[in-house]
Amino acid sequence: MKEYKRQYRQLSDETKTKISNSNKNKPKTEIQKQRIRQAMIQYWKTVPNKPNSLSMDDYLKRNDNDR
């Protein structure tokens, strides 16, 4: 599985606002919109939801990768 910058689907409201503001007033053709839409659908299928709580195994795996 590929490594992406984003680990989970959830974003803070501040981040959502920044993304929204950066994308405003940028005209796109219908073909561009369709391609972006399809690419984002494929991308979001690979990003998991954030777990409600971490188990000790999850915590240890994350720390092992940091080294």
Side-chain angles (χ1 to χ4, degrees):
M1 191 160 124
K2 286 186 175 180
E3 291 287 328
Y4 293 102
K5 290 181 182 179
R6 203 176 279 164
Q7 293 181 345
Y8 304 112
R9 290 178 180 233
Q10 290 74 15
L11 297 173
S12 68
D13 289 336
E14 180 183 0
T15 303
K16 290 177 186 178
T17 303
K18 287 180 182 180
I19 292 170
S20 176
N21 289 338
S22 70
N23 289 325
K24 286 184 180 173
N25 299 321
K26 293 183 181 178
K28 292 182 177 49
T29 66
E30 282 302 313
I31 293 173
Q32 285 175 312
K33 290 177 185 178
Q34 289 173 0
R35 289 181 180 164
I36 291 169
R37 187 177 304 120
Q38 290 301 316
M40 293 308 293
I41 288 170
Q42 292 300 317
Y43 171 75
W44 283 112
K45 286 181 181 179
T46 65
V47 180
N49 283 318
K50 187 174 183 177
N52 292 335
S53 62
L54 291 176
S55 68
M56 186 54 85
D57 291 334
D58 293 334
Y59 180 75
L60 292 174
K61 286 179 189 175
R62 182 178 299 157
N63 286 338
D64 290 341
N65 293 336
D66 291 341
R67 293 180 192 172

